[in-house]
Amino acid sequence: MKLRRPLAVAAAVAVAAPVALFAATPAVAAGTPTAQTQNQPTYAELTKAATDAKKAYDDAVTAEAEGRKTVEAALNSLASDTHPLKAAVLTANKAAKDAADAKTAAEQAVADAEAELEAAGNETEKAEAQKALESAEADLTKAVQAQQKADADAEAAQTALDDARVAAVREYGVLKDTLGKALEAKDAAEAALATAKECVRENGLTSLALGLPAKVVAGTTVDFTLRVTNGTARTLTVDPLVFIHADGEQIGGKRALDVSWSNGSGWQPLPSDGSAHTAPIEAMRPGEHSDVKLRMKVDPKAPSADAFALFAGDASDAYNPCVLGPMKRYDFELLPAGSEPGPVDEAEPGKPGENDDKRPDTKPATGTGAGTGTPGSTGTSPQGGTSDRAVTTTTGTGTDGSLAATGASSTTTLALASTLTAALGAGAVFAARRRRATDGV
């Protein structure tokens, strides 16, 4: 009994996916030039490979289950006396037994004829006994030949039955082997995709604050710039991260700092928790930088307090959905209204700490040109989410100094640690990193 054709087709499809993409591909290392990634599967290819491998595995599971039922039915059918092959075996075996019995009888007839010849008393009796012996010997010869043929027929019938059993089991074995290979391919594809999802650090993707004063007086407004520079060797989709907080503030409570950002087409407010991804850049080439304008209004009633700002470039490319530029922390002081701080230097980036790659949960900024968020959500936009915000980008190596407007599209929004915002509620966020000495990192 042959397995049905769809099962054989499923068995073939189960291992037809591009296995080359399934091998556990290490994440593209930080700073890897584009030329060195040309032979690497892209993240989209790995995602498709994992999807295809999962489907192939599911098909193989179905095929194996159906094949098991088929082979069990085939073996049960072959074991039935009514099956043509089994019936042929039974008939041939009976014929072989009858032939063996006939040969035994012919041998006995020869023996009896020999005894009659031995006992013959005269020439007439001897002649008759000799004639009877020759006839018995001829019958024995025919019986021997008949038995040999019957035995051969019985062996052939048994071989045909055995071959049918082996064929049924062999076809099922192919499905079992295919299932094992499909599982290996699925595991390899999932491992490669998981590896590609791992965040990689790009120290060349820098985020620096320009014009942020080290001291800010309550009731004043400060304009400064966040400059994100792609100092890597590959083109990135970049999503600048901004997080500004004054000590003592609670999440959702009244804020001393009202922060907005602009890409030149109006001001967009940061959410009430002071964190947001702003002005995504769809394709920032090596050497390019992008400026995000920031405006910070300080509540006139704000008390004296320490405050800080965090800036980073969260990014992705064709090979990695999670690329992290180093986090930059700027500490500054809030002074009571009416204070005369005198000459004020710009805030300097502090020394990175062990948690500098952790990102607070962020919400898309709201307002004209801002990305859309889901009401009632945690505020973390999904990977691959889209934004209609625009940004101006200038090349670090250009000679004409012109601005090249780029349309913003999908970008990676990374919220790697909600522990930061949870700690804010307890008033202890970044306490360990406060007032670190600057080293210009």
Side-chain angles (χ1 to χ4, degrees):
M1 178 181 292
K2 294 291 185 180
L3 300 184
R4 287 176 296 174
R5 179 173 179 79
L7 300 184
V9 173
V13 170
V15 291
V19 178
L21 293 178
F22 294 171
T25 305
V28 179
T32 303
T34 302
Q36 296 181 21
T37 64
Q38 289 178 349
N39 295 327
Q40 294 279 357
T42 65
Y43 182 72
E45 290 172 336
L46 290 174
T47 300
K48 184 179 185 302
T51 300
D52 291 346
K54 175 62 165 59
K55 183 180 184 304
Y57 172 73
D58 291 342
D59 290 343
V61 169
T62 300
E64 187 275 336
E66 291 296 322
R68 190 183 329 114
K69 295 178 183 177
T70 301
V71 74
E72 288 174 354
L75 294 177
N76 289 335
S77 177
L78 290 169
S80 172
D81 292 347
T82 62
H83 192 282
L85 293 178
K86 180 63 178 297
V89 169
L90 295 176
T91 300
N93 286 343
K94 183 178 183 304
K97 183 179 182 305
D98 291 343
D101 291 344
K103 175 178 171 286
T104 300
E107 289 174 340
Q108 184 60 50
V110 169
D112 291 345
E114 289 175 342
E116 288 289 337
L117 179 60
E118 185 70 26
N122 54 53
E123 291 301 323
T124 299
E125 291 178 350
K126 287 183 179 180
E128 291 178 354
Q130 181 62 41
K131 183 178 180 180
L133 175 59
E134 290 174 355
S135 177
E137 287 176 341
D139 289 341
L140 176 58
T141 298
K142 292 178 181 179
V144 170
Q145 292 174 345
Q147 184 191 21
Q148 290 174 344
K149 182 178 184 305
D151 286 346
D153 289 344
E155 183 179 357
Q158 187 62 53
T159 298
L161 178 61
D162 292 343
D163 286 348
R165 289 171 173 162
V166 170
V169 173
R170 183 182 294 117
E171 290 192 51
Y172 174 65
V174 171
L175 296 178
K176 286 282 290 183
D177 183 59
T178 297
L179 177 60
K181 291 179 179 179
L183 177 60
E184 292 178 1
K186 180 179 76 73
D187 290 345
E190 291 174 349
L193 183 61
T195 299
K197 286 181 178 179
E198 293 177 1
C199 293
V200 295
R201 185 182 178 101
E202 274 286 13
N203 291 329
L205 181 59
T206 59
S207 303
L208 298 176
L210 306 177
L212 175 63
K215 297 178 181 181
V216 181
V217 177
T220 63
T221 297
V222 174
D223 287 343
F224 61 102
T225 299
L226 168 61
R227 173 162 291 181
V228 181
T229 302
N230 182 7
T232 74
R234 51 201 172 108
T235 298
L236 298 172
T237 295
V238 184
D239 206 357
L241 173 67
V242 176
F243 188 89
I244 300 179
H245 180 74
D247 287 358
E249 292 182 338
Q250 300 294 321
I251 295 297
K254 181 176 176 56
R255 287 177 47 78
L257 304 176
D258 180 12
V259 183
S260 301
W261 64 272
S262 175
N263 57 14
S265 60
W267 291 95
Q268 317 300 329
L270 264 64
S272 60
D273 63 1
S275 61
H277 283 96
T278 62
I281 307 100
E282 179 65 20
M284 181 182 279
R285 293 185 293 273
E288 289 184 340
H289 72 260
S290 175
D291 288 345
V292 181
K293 299 300 182 181
L294 294 169
R295 173 168 292 172
M296 181 172 63
K297 297 180 180 180
V298 187
D299 191 318
K301 298 180 180 179
S304 177
D306 289 331
F308 65 88
L310 296 176
F311 304 108
D314 291 345
S316 65
D317 64 9
Y319 303 92
N320 295 92
C322 178
V323 178
L324 303 179
M327 182 83 78
K328 295 295 184 180
R329 174 189 172 100
Y330 290 79
D331 291 292
F332 59 95
E333 288 186 69
L334 294 183
L335 302 178
S339 298
E340 296 292 340
V344 177
D345 295 329
E346 286 191 21
E348 297 287 341
K351 183 179 181 180
E354 60 180 358
N355 292 325
D356 275 1
D357 269 343
K358 292 184 177 180
R359 267 55 169 169
D361 285 344
T362 63
K363 295 181 178 64
T366 58
T368 305
T372 57
T374 303
S377 69
T378 61
T380 303
S381 57
Q383 287 190 0
T386 59
S387 170
D388 56 5
R389 290 172 290 189
V391 65
T392 56
T393 303
T394 62
T395 61
T397 57
T399 58
D400 59 0
S402 61
L403 294 179
T406 61
S409 182
S410 62
T411 187
T412 308
T413 300
L414 307 171
L416 303 182
S418 60
T419 53
L420 295 182
T421 49
L424 279 176
V429 172
F430 305 113
R433 295 197 286 172
R434 181 179 302 160
R435 295 297 188 186
R436 285 195 172 91
T438 62
D439 61 1
V441 207

